[in-house]
mmCIF file of all heavy atoms in Angstrom:
data_model
loop_
_atom_site.group_PDB
_atom_site.id
_atom_site.type_symbol
_atom_site.label_atom_id
_atom_site.label_comp_id
_atom_site.label_asym_id
_atom_site.label_seq_id
_atom_site.Cartn_x
_atom_site.Cartn_y
_atom_site.Cartn_z
ATOM 1 N N LYS A 10 0.845 -1.174 -0.022
ATOM 2 C CA LYS A 10 0.036 0.004 0.006
ATOM 3 C C LYS A 10 0.901 1.223 0.011
ATOM 4 O O LYS A 10 2.101 1.131 0.169
ATOM 5 C CB LYS A 10 -0.877 0.027 1.251
ATOM 6 C CG LYS A 10 -1.877 -1.115 1.399
ATOM 7 C CD LYS A 10 -2.976 -1.066 0.356
ATOM 8 C CE LYS A 10 -3.877 -2.247 0.607
ATOM 9 N NZ LYS A 10 -5.012 -2.257 -0.324
ATOM 10 N N ILE A 11 0.286 2.421 -0.152
ATOM 11 C CA ILE A 11 0.991 3.684 -0.096
ATOM 12 C C ILE A 11 0.319 4.486 0.959
ATOM 13 O O ILE A 11 -0.914 4.584 1.046
ATOM 14 C CB ILE A 11 0.925 4.396 -1.419
ATOM 15 C CG1 ILE A 11 1.660 3.658 -2.515
ATOM 16 C CG2 ILE A 11 1.475 5.833 -1.316
ATOM 17 C CD1 ILE A 11 3.116 3.601 -2.424
ATOM 18 N N LYS A 12 1.137 5.125 1.842
ATOM 19 C CA LYS A 12 0.580 6.048 2.855
ATOM 20 C C LYS A 12 0.978 7.499 2.384
ATOM 21 O O LYS A 12 2.067 7.811 2.241
ATOM 22 C CB LYS A 12 1.114 5.767 4.243
ATOM 23 C CG LYS A 12 0.511 6.740 5.243
ATOM 24 C CD LYS A 12 0.687 6.311 6.672
ATOM 25 C CE LYS A 12 2.141 6.364 7.165
ATOM 26 N NZ LYS A 12 2.254 6.163 8.604
ATOM 27 N N VAL A 13 -0.113 8.251 2.220
ATOM 28 C CA VAL A 13 0.082 9.653 1.806
ATOM 29 C C VAL A 13 -0.298 10.533 3.068
ATOM 30 O O VAL A 13 -1.336 10.350 3.643
ATOM 31 C CB VAL A 13 -0.825 10.024 0.672
ATOM 32 C CG1 VAL A 13 -0.765 11.562 0.302
ATOM 33 C CG2 VAL A 13 -0.570 9.191 -0.585
ATOM 34 N N GLU A 14 0.577 11.419 3.406
ATOM 35 C CA GLU A 14 0.385 12.265 4.596
ATOM 36 C C GLU A 14 0.402 13.740 4.142
ATOM 37 O O GLU A 14 1.355 14.167 3.471
ATOM 38 C CB GLU A 14 1.432 12.031 5.635
ATOM 39 C CG GLU A 14 1.428 10.600 6.235
ATOM 40 C CD GLU A 14 2.627 10.354 7.137
ATOM 41 O OE1 GLU A 14 3.661 9.989 6.630
ATOM 42 O OE2 GLU A 14 2.440 10.610 8.356
ATOM 43 N N VAL A 15 -0.606 14.483 4.624
ATOM 44 C CA VAL A 15 -0.646 15.949 4.308
ATOM 45 C C VAL A 15 -1.101 16.637 5.592
ATOM 46 O O VAL A 15 -1.915 16.109 6.288
ATOM 47 C CB VAL A 15 -1.525 16.334 3.148
ATOM 48 C CG1 VAL A 15 -0.933 15.811 1.874
ATOM 49 C CG2 VAL A 15 -2.927 15.896 3.329
ATOM 50 N N VAL A 16 -0.574 17.839 5.839
ATOM 51 C CA VAL A 16 -1.088 18.683 6.920
ATOM 52 C C VAL A 16 -1.740 19.895 6.279
ATOM 53 O O VAL A 16 -1.132 20.523 5.407
ATOM 54 C CB VAL A 16 0.025 19.118 7.848
ATOM 55 C CG1 VAL A 16 -0.458 20.047 8.940
ATOM 56 C CG2 VAL A 16 0.712 17.853 8.520
ATOM 57 N N VAL A 17 -2.975 20.155 6.657
ATOM 58 C CA VAL A 17 -3.737 21.193 6.058
ATOM 59 C C VAL A 17 -4.427 22.060 7.089
ATOM 60 O O VAL A 17 -4.598 21.675 8.285
ATOM 61 C CB VAL A 17 -4.831 20.660 5.063
ATOM 62 C CG1 VAL A 17 -4.213 19.900 3.916
ATOM 63 C CG2 VAL A 17 -5.811 19.806 5.823
ATOM 64 N N ALA A 18 -4.806 23.275 6.679
ATOM 65 C CA ALA A 18 -5.590 24.134 7.614
ATOM 66 C C ALA A 18 -6.989 23.557 7.740
ATOM 67 O O ALA A 18 -7.464 22.758 6.936
ATOM 68 C CB ALA A 18 -5.670 25.551 6.953
ATOM 69 N N GLU A 19 -7.601 23.914 8.815
ATOM 70 C CA GLU A 19 -8.962 23.401 9.116
ATOM 71 C C GLU A 19 -9.892 23.596 7.894
ATOM 72 O O GLU A 19 -10.753 22.757 7.635
ATOM 73 C CB GLU A 19 -9.558 24.120 10.312
ATOM 74 C CG GLU A 19 -8.763 23.915 11.601
ATOM 75 C CD GLU A 19 -9.168 22.700 12.426
ATOM 76 O OE1 GLU A 19 -10.240 22.122 12.109
ATOM 77 O OE2 GLU A 19 -8.383 22.300 13.294
ATOM 78 N N SER A 20 -9.790 24.769 7.227
ATOM 79 C CA SER A 20 -10.673 25.131 6.159
ATOM 80 C C SER A 20 -10.483 24.193 4.938
ATOM 81 O O SER A 20 -11.313 24.180 4.053
ATOM 82 C CB SER A 20 -10.492 26.605 5.790
ATOM 83 O OG SER A 20 -9.160 26.773 5.331
ATOM 84 N N GLN A 21 -9.343 23.556 4.812
ATOM 85 C CA GLN A 21 -9.054 22.682 3.629
ATOM 86 C C GLN A 21 -9.348 21.165 3.899
ATOM 87 O O GLN A 21 -9.234 20.430 2.983
ATOM 88 C CB GLN A 21 -7.564 22.822 3.299
ATOM 89 C CG GLN A 21 -7.168 24.186 2.768
ATOM 90 C CD GLN A 21 -5.677 24.166 2.409
ATOM 91 O OE1 GLN A 21 -4.870 23.914 3.252
ATOM 92 N NE2 GLN A 21 -5.419 24.431 1.118
ATOM 93 N N VAL A 22 -9.746 20.806 5.066
ATOM 94 C CA VAL A 22 -9.906 19.403 5.392
ATOM 95 C C VAL A 22 -10.910 18.719 4.498
ATOM 96 O O VAL A 22 -10.645 17.699 3.885
ATOM 97 C CB VAL A 22 -10.250 19.199 6.883
ATOM 98 C CG1 VAL A 22 -10.620 17.756 7.170
ATOM 99 C CG2 VAL A 22 -9.044 19.618 7.761
ATOM 100 N N ASP A 23 -12.136 19.267 4.404
ATOM 101 C CA ASP A 23 -13.216 18.586 3.599
ATOM 102 C C ASP A 23 -12.798 18.577 2.163
ATOM 103 O O ASP A 23 -13.054 17.585 1.498
ATOM 104 C CB ASP A 23 -14.524 19.361 3.813
ATOM 105 C CG ASP A 23 -15.083 19.192 5.193
ATOM 106 O OD1 ASP A 23 -14.754 18.155 5.840
ATOM 107 O OD2 ASP A 23 -15.828 20.056 5.631
ATOM 108 N N THR A 24 -12.159 19.596 1.642
ATOM 109 C CA THR A 24 -11.764 19.654 0.236
ATOM 110 C C THR A 24 -10.746 18.529 -0.043
ATOM 111 O O THR A 24 -10.814 17.837 -1.041
ATOM 112 C CB THR A 24 -11.131 21.053 -0.086
ATOM 113 O OG1 THR A 24 -12.099 22.053 0.218
ATOM 114 C CG2 THR A 24 -10.781 21.148 -1.571
ATOM 115 N N ALA A 25 -9.756 18.482 0.879
ATOM 116 C CA ALA A 25 -8.677 17.403 0.762
ATOM 117 C C ALA A 25 -9.315 15.999 0.845
ATOM 118 O O ALA A 25 -8.966 15.141 0.009
ATOM 119 C CB ALA A 25 -7.602 17.626 1.801
ATOM 120 N N LEU A 26 -10.166 15.792 1.781
ATOM 121 C CA LEU A 26 -10.771 14.453 1.926
ATOM 122 C C LEU A 26 -11.549 14.090 0.662
ATOM 123 O O LEU A 26 -11.474 12.942 0.211
ATOM 124 C CB LEU A 26 -11.709 14.449 3.163
ATOM 125 C CG LEU A 26 -11.065 14.438 4.501
ATOM 126 C CD1 LEU A 26 -12.085 14.538 5.582
ATOM 127 C CD2 LEU A 26 -10.147 13.242 4.728
ATOM 128 N N ASP A 27 -12.304 15.016 0.126
ATOM 129 C CA ASP A 27 -13.130 14.766 -1.042
ATOM 130 C C ASP A 27 -12.167 14.433 -2.280
ATOM 131 O O ASP A 27 -12.432 13.474 -2.995
ATOM 132 C CB ASP A 27 -13.996 15.997 -1.363
ATOM 133 C CG ASP A 27 -14.995 15.770 -2.423
ATOM 134 O OD1 ASP A 27 -15.656 14.699 -2.324
ATOM 135 O OD2 ASP A 27 -15.103 16.567 -3.376
ATOM 136 N N ALA A 28 -11.100 15.216 -2.445
ATOM 137 C CA ALA A 28 -10.183 14.959 -3.478
ATOM 138 C C ALA A 28 -9.542 13.628 -3.380
ATOM 139 O O ALA A 28 -9.412 12.904 -4.376
ATOM 140 C CB ALA A 28 -9.110 16.060 -3.493
ATOM 141 N N ILE A 29 -9.072 13.210 -2.207
ATOM 142 C CA ILE A 29 -8.386 11.918 -2.015
ATOM 143 C C ILE A 29 -9.449 10.797 -2.274
ATOM 144 O O ILE A 29 -9.094 9.773 -2.963
ATOM 145 C CB ILE A 29 -7.828 11.811 -0.604
ATOM 146 C CG1 ILE A 29 -6.676 12.759 -0.408
ATOM 147 C CG2 ILE A 29 -7.389 10.393 -0.299
ATOM 148 C CD1 ILE A 29 -6.244 12.931 1.017
ATOM 149 N N THR A 30 -10.605 10.945 -1.692
ATOM 150 C CA THR A 30 -11.617 9.894 -1.857
ATOM 151 C C THR A 30 -11.946 9.627 -3.332
ATOM 152 O O THR A 30 -11.971 8.518 -3.807
ATOM 153 C CB THR A 30 -12.862 10.230 -1.050
ATOM 154 O OG1 THR A 30 -12.494 10.452 0.314
ATOM 155 C CG2 THR A 30 -13.915 9.191 -1.184
ATOM 156 N N LYS A 31 -12.165 10.701 -4.063
ATOM 157 C CA LYS A 31 -12.550 10.529 -5.500
ATOM 158 C C LYS A 31 -11.389 9.978 -6.277
ATOM 159 O O LYS A 31 -11.653 9.106 -7.148
ATOM 160 C CB LYS A 31 -12.979 11.896 -6.039
ATOM 161 C CG LYS A 31 -14.338 12.325 -5.585
ATOM 162 C CD LYS A 31 -14.741 13.627 -6.185
ATOM 163 C CE LYS A 31 -16.143 14.083 -5.682
ATOM 164 N NZ LYS A 31 -16.423 15.524 -6.116
ATOM 165 N N ALA A 32 -10.224 10.377 -6.000
ATOM 166 C CA ALA A 32 -9.034 9.943 -6.797
ATOM 167 C C ALA A 32 -8.678 8.503 -6.479
ATOM 168 O O ALA A 32 -8.191 7.781 -7.319
ATOM 169 C CB ALA A 32 -7.866 10.847 -6.595
ATOM 170 N N ALA A 33 -8.828 8.079 -5.212
ATOM 171 C CA ALA A 33 -8.353 6.775 -4.755
ATOM 172 C C ALA A 33 -9.364 5.661 -4.911
ATOM 173 O O ALA A 33 -9.044 4.483 -4.923
ATOM 174 C CB ALA A 33 -7.857 6.831 -3.340
ATOM 175 N N ARG A 34 -10.593 5.995 -5.165
ATOM 176 C CA ARG A 34 -11.692 4.992 -5.177
ATOM 177 C C ARG A 34 -11.723 4.172 -6.499
ATOM 178 O O ARG A 34 -11.629 4.719 -7.514
ATOM 179 C CB ARG A 34 -13.050 5.729 -5.063
ATOM 180 C CG ARG A 34 -14.224 4.701 -5.033
ATOM 181 C CD ARG A 34 -15.546 5.365 -4.878
ATOM 182 N NE ARG A 34 -15.670 5.777 -3.477
ATOM 183 C CZ ARG A 34 -16.208 6.925 -3.125
ATOM 184 N NH1 ARG A 34 -16.747 7.738 -4.025
ATOM 185 N NH2 ARG A 34 -16.287 7.272 -1.869
ATOM 186 N N THR A 35 -11.683 2.851 -6.329
ATOM 187 C CA THR A 35 -11.877 1.941 -7.431
ATOM 188 C C THR A 35 -13.279 1.252 -7.325
ATOM 189 O O THR A 35 -13.740 0.680 -8.260
ATOM 190 C CB THR A 35 -10.804 0.854 -7.508
ATOM 191 O OG1 THR A 35 -10.947 -0.024 -6.380
ATOM 192 C CG2 THR A 35 -9.407 1.428 -7.581
ATOM 193 N N GLY A 36 -13.846 1.280 -6.081
ATOM 194 C CA GLY A 36 -15.080 0.601 -5.892
ATOM 195 C C GLY A 36 -14.889 -0.850 -5.481
ATOM 196 O O GLY A 36 -15.877 -1.606 -5.253
ATOM 197 N N LYS A 37 -13.660 -1.336 -5.327
ATOM 198 C CA LYS A 37 -13.345 -2.690 -4.975
ATOM 199 C C LYS A 37 -12.688 -2.714 -3.583
ATOM 200 O O LYS A 37 -12.235 -1.733 -3.073
ATOM 201 C CB LYS A 37 -12.380 -3.274 -6.010
ATOM 202 C CG LYS A 37 -12.973 -3.350 -7.405
ATOM 203 C CD LYS A 37 -12.025 -3.960 -8.367
ATOM 204 C CE LYS A 37 -12.615 -3.967 -9.775
ATOM 205 N NZ LYS A 37 -11.671 -4.190 -10.787
ATOM 206 N N ILE A 38 -12.772 -3.928 -3.007
ATOM 207 C CA ILE A 38 -12.198 -4.123 -1.668
ATOM 208 C C ILE A 38 -10.729 -3.721 -1.712
ATOM 209 O O ILE A 38 -10.013 -3.961 -2.677
ATOM 210 C CB ILE A 38 -12.405 -5.552 -1.191
ATOM 211 C CG1 ILE A 38 -12.130 -5.692 0.313
ATOM 212 C CG2 ILE A 38 -11.632 -6.518 -1.995
ATOM 213 C CD1 ILE A 38 -12.678 -6.966 0.937
ATOM 214 N N GLY A 39 -10.240 -3.097 -0.616
ATOM 215 C CA GLY A 39 -8.822 -2.757 -0.510
ATOM 216 C C GLY A 39 -8.531 -1.322 -0.985
ATOM 217 O O GLY A 39 -7.418 -1.023 -1.145
ATOM 218 N N ASP A 40 -9.555 -0.486 -1.224
ATOM 219 C CA ASP A 40 -9.295 0.861 -1.655
ATOM 220 C C ASP A 40 -8.567 1.696 -0.601
ATOM 221 O O ASP A 40 -7.882 2.591 -0.927
ATOM 222 C CB ASP A 40 -10.578 1.595 -1.994
ATOM 223 C CG ASP A 40 -11.085 1.270 -3.405
ATOM 224 O OD1 ASP A 40 -10.260 0.729 -4.180
ATOM 225 O OD2 ASP A 40 -12.197 1.701 -3.765
ATOM 226 N N GLY A 41 -8.704 1.302 0.677
ATOM 227 C CA GLY A 41 -7.923 2.009 1.714
ATOM 228 C C GLY A 41 -8.789 2.722 2.767
ATOM 229 O O GLY A 41 -9.983 2.613 2.773
ATOM 230 N N LYS A 42 -8.097 3.524 3.519
ATOM 231 C CA LYS A 42 -8.751 4.335 4.623
ATOM 232 C C LYS A 42 -8.096 5.669 4.681
ATOM 233 O O LYS A 42 -6.896 5.850 4.266
ATOM 234 C CB LYS A 42 -8.589 3.585 5.957
ATOM 235 C CG LYS A 42 -9.430 2.375 6.095
ATOM 236 C CD LYS A 42 -9.895 2.199 7.499
ATOM 237 C CE LYS A 42 -10.764 1.015 7.703
ATOM 238 N NZ LYS A 42 -10.722 -0.135 6.900
ATOM 239 N N ILE A 43 -8.808 6.631 5.298
ATOM 240 C CA ILE A 43 -8.255 7.977 5.577
ATOM 241 C C ILE A 43 -8.466 8.258 7.053
ATOM 242 O O ILE A 43 -9.502 8.052 7.575
ATOM 243 C CB ILE A 43 -9.014 9.059 4.665
ATOM 244 C CG1 ILE A 43 -8.880 8.717 3.245
ATOM 245 C CG2 ILE A 43 -8.431 10.370 4.989
ATOM 246 C CD1 ILE A 43 -9.640 9.616 2.297
ATOM 247 N N PHE A 44 -7.390 8.732 7.638
ATOM 248 C CA PHE A 44 -7.416 9.118 9.043
ATOM 249 C C PHE A 44 -7.123 10.601 9.208
ATOM 250 O O PHE A 44 -6.208 11.084 8.549
ATOM 251 C CB PHE A 44 -6.360 8.297 9.836
ATOM 252 C CG PHE A 44 -6.473 6.820 9.683
ATOM 253 C CD1 PHE A 44 -5.667 6.162 8.798
ATOM 254 C CD2 PHE A 44 -7.358 6.100 10.447
ATOM 255 C CE1 PHE A 44 -5.759 4.779 8.618
ATOM 256 C CE2 PHE A 44 -7.509 4.732 10.245
ATOM 257 C CZ PHE A 44 -6.693 4.056 9.368
ATOM 258 N N VAL A 45 -7.895 11.289 10.067
ATOM 259 C CA VAL A 45 -7.702 12.675 10.259
ATOM 260 C C VAL A 45 -7.381 12.899 11.728
ATOM 261 O O VAL A 45 -8.153 12.486 12.601
ATOM 262 C CB VAL A 45 -8.939 13.518 9.803
ATOM 263 C CG1 VAL A 45 -8.679 15.002 10.098
ATOM 264 C CG2 VAL A 45 -9.259 13.276 8.366
#
């Protein structure tokens, strides 16, 4: 797997989560997790 780490301002959290989720999703098992 790959672990991507970013530190963002509070105002950017939802935007970053949305961008990561859309880009990383395949719809299959093993797509991963995001921790904040």
